[in-house]
C-alpha cells in the first residue's frame, strides 16, 4: 500500500549538513583522518568535506560554540524547486532565492533558503548540483553517502507539523508523540531525517552510511586507539535494520556509521509502523547509549 500523506515537494536526497566547530584544525583531522571524508576547497571561512561525487557533503565553519548551522536538500528538478518555493512561501516561511553568485559558489543551478520557525535552523533547497571533478576515493572506511540528520526537539508536535505536514517528509516508523524516522520523499532510504522528543532543541547526531559491515568493526577499534569516545553500539536498530556505531567528534557532537538500511519505494512501499517506547527499538542487541550520546550541538539559529 502507499501512504496517504500529501507530499507537496519531491526531494532527491539529503544534500549536506553544515556544522560550526570550535577548533577547525582538530575537526578537520577528525572528519578527514578518522571518519574518512575527503577535504576539498571551499570559499573563505568554510571547509568542504565529501564522501560522494558531489562537491561537499559536510561543511565546517569555526565559531564560539559547536552546533548544526544548516541542512541542505537537493530536489528532483527545477520545476519542483519552483513549486517548492511557492509552497513554502504560501506557508508563511518567507523563502529567499539564493543570489546567482552564491549559486556559483555553491556549485548549484538554483536554490532558496528559509528558516525553521521554531529553532531558526537554516534550510537550503536547491537543484542541479555539479559533480566533483574527481571521484571520491575511500580511505579508512567505504562511505557511501551522508545518510541522515537527527534532531532533539522540545516541541515534538510543532516539529512533526513542520517536517511532515508542511514539508511532506514521509514517516517510515514512529513512536507517536516521541520519535519519528522520516524520509525525504520519494527518496527510498528508511530515514534521511529523524525527530526525537527531548529536553532541548539540539543536534542528536549526523550519520554516514558505509558499504561494508567491517567498516563498523574497524571504526570501533580505530576510534578506541585514537581515544575517541564510543557512546553507543555496535548494535542493530530495529526500525531501519541498520548495524551502527556512534562516537563523538572533538566538540562532543555525536557521529554515526551505519551499515544496511531498509528502503521503502515510492510505489508499493509499506505503511509506517508504530513502535513501542522501549530500549530494544534502538538496539535489538541490547546495548544502551552513554549519557553523552546525542546531547551536544546547538541548533544555531539564523535570523531573517
Amino acid at each position: 500500500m502507499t501512504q496517504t500523506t500529501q507530499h507537496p515537494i519531491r526531494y532527491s536526497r539529503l544534500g549536506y549538513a553544515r556544522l560550526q566547530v570550535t577548533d577547525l584544525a582538530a575537526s578537520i583531522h577528525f572528519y578527514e583522518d578518522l571518519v574518512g571524508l575527503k577535504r576539498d576547497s571551499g570559499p573563505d571561512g568554510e571547509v568542504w568535506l565529501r564522501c560522494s561525487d558531489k562537491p561537499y557533503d559536510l561543511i565546517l565553519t569555526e565559531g564560539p560554540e559547536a552546533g548544526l548551522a544548516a541542512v541542505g536538500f537537493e530536489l528532483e528538478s527545477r520545476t519542483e524547486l519552483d513549486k517548492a518555493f511557492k509552497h513554502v512561501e504560501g506557508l508563511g516561511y518567507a523563502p529567499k532565492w539564493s543570489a546567482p553568485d552564491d549559486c556559483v559558489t555553491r556549485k548549484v543551478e538554483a536554490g532558496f533558503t528559509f528558516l525553521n520557525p521554531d529553532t531558526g535552523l537554516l534550510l537550503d533547497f536547491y537543484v542541479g548540483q555539479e559533480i566533483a571533478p574527481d571521484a571520491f576515493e575511500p580511505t579508512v572506511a567505504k562511505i557511501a553517502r551522508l545518510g541522515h540528520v537527527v534532531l532533539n526537539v522540545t516541541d515534538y508536535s510543532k516539529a512533526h507539523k513542520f517536517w511532515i505536514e508542511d514539508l511532506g517528509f514521509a514517516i517510515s516508523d514512529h513512536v507517536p508523540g516521541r520519535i519519528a524516522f522520516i524520509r525525504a520523499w520519494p527518496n527510498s532510504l528508511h530515514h534521511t531525517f529523524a525527530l526525537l522528543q527531548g529536553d532541548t532543541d539540539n543536534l542528536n547526531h549526523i550519520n554516514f552510511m558505509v558499504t561494508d559491515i567491517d567498516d563498523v568493526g574497524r571504526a570501533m577499534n580505530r576510534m578506541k586507539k585514537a581515544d575517541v569516545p564510543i557512546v553507543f553500539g555496535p548494535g542493530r536498530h530495529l526500525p531501519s535494520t541498520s548495524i551502527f556505531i556512534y562516537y563523538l567528534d572533538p566538540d562532543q557532537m555525536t557521529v554515526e556509521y551505519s551499515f544496511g538500511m531498509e528502503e521503502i519505494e515510492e510505489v508499493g512501499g509499506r505503511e509506517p509502523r508504530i513502535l513501542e517506547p522501549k530500549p530494544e527499538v534502538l538496539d535489538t542487541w541490547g546495548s544502551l547509549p552513554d549519557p553523552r550520546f546525542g546531547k551536544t550541538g546547538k541548533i544555531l539559529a539564523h535570523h531573517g
Side-chain angles (χ1 to χ4, degrees), residues 281-303:
V281 166
L282 293 181
D283 185 12
T284 61
W285 294 357
S287 70
L288 295 173
D290 180 289
R292 295 169 291 178
F293 167 78
K295 294 296 192 295
T296 301
K298 292 188 67 175
I299 297 176
L300 301 171
H302 294 252
H303 302 283

Side-chain angles (χ1 to χ4, degrees), residues 215-276:
D215 289 321
V216 174
R218 292 189 183 109
M220 179 178 66
N221 293 314
R222 182 170 67 256
M223 299 303 172
K224 285 181 177 179
K225 289 175 183 176
D227 293 321
V228 172
I230 296 171
V231 290
F232 196 12
R236 184 188 285 274
H237 291 312
L238 185 153
S240 65
T241 73
S242 301
I243 294 172
F244 66 84
I245 188 168
Y246 294 87
Y247 44 91
L248 300 181
D249 82 353
D251 284 300
Q252 307 299 290
M253 291 187 283
T254 303
V255 182
E256 179 191 21
Y257 275 162
S258 66
F259 164 73
M261 177 177 273
E262 180 188 12
E263 297 193 28
I264 302 173
E265 298 301 328
E266 175 183 358
V267 177
R270 66 167 175 79
E271 292 287 338
R273 296 176 298 193
I274 295 177
L275 305 175
E276 296 182 62

Side-chain angles (χ1 to χ4, degrees), residues 4 36 42 70 72 100 102 105 113 121 151 158 182 186 193 215 233 243 289:
T4 57
D102 289 338
T105 299
T113 60
L121 176 66
L151 301 183
K158 283 187 177 180
I182 58 180
F193 213 79
D215 289 321
I243 294 172

Side-chain angles (χ1 to χ4, degrees), residues 102-300:
D102 289 338
C103 291
V104 171
T105 299
R106 300 285 171 204
K107 301 185 183 298
V108 300
E109 175 190 337
F112 66 86
T113 60
F114 63 105
L115 303 181
N116 174 283
D118 304 314
T119 64
L121 176 66
L122 182 70
L123 300 180
D124 181 8
F125 284 8
Y126 58 89
V127 292
Q129 190 169 51
E130 295 178 16
I131 300 298
D134 59 320
F136 169 68
E137 296 290 343
T139 54
V140 296
K142 293 185 284 296
I143 303 174
R145 64 181 65 86
L146 172 68
H148 53 263
V149 174
V150 177
L151 301 183
N152 297 326
V153 294
T154 54
D155 194 326
Y156 182 88
S157 62
K158 283 187 177 180
H160 186 283
K161 178 184 183 301
F162 178 77
W163 289 97
I164 297 160
E165 297 177 32
D166 292 350
L167 299 188
F169 278 62
I171 297 175
S172 297
D173 291 305
H174 62 147
V175 178
R178 297 181 60 175
I179 303 172
F181 298 96
I182 58 180
R183 60 191 188 277
W185 185 91
N187 187 296
S188 64
L189 293 174
H190 178 274
H191 58 283
T192 42
F193 213 79
L195 306 169
L196 282 71
Q197 174 69 54
D199 297 327
T200 59
D201 292 311
N202 67 278
L203 174 67
N204 184 280
H205 70 271
I206 61 171
N207 162 278
F208 297 97
M209 297 176 67
V210 296
T211 60
D212 193 321
I213 193 172
D214 289 342
D215 289 321
V216 174
R218 292 189 183 109
M220 179 178 66
N221 293 314
R222 182 170 67 256
M223 299 303 172
K224 285 181 177 179
K225 289 175 183 176
D227 293 321
V228 172
I230 296 171
V231 290
F232 196 12
R236 184 188 285 274
H237 291 312
L238 185 153
S240 65
T241 73
S242 301
I243 294 172
F244 66 84
I245 188 168
Y246 294 87
Y247 44 91
L248 300 181
D249 82 353
D251 284 300
Q252 307 299 290
M253 291 187 283
T254 303
V255 182
E256 179 191 21
Y257 275 162
S258 66
F259 164 73
M261 177 177 273
E262 180 188 12
E263 297 193 28
I264 302 173
E265 298 301 328
E266 175 183 358
V267 177
R270 66 167 175 79
E271 292 287 338
R273 296 176 298 193
I274 295 177
L275 305 175
E276 296 182 62
K278 58 183 183 179
E280 291 81 5
V281 166
L282 293 181
D283 185 12
T284 61
W285 294 357
S287 70
L288 295 173
D290 180 289
R292 295 169 291 178
F293 167 78
K295 294 296 192 295
T296 301
K298 292 188 67 175
I299 297 176
L300 301 171

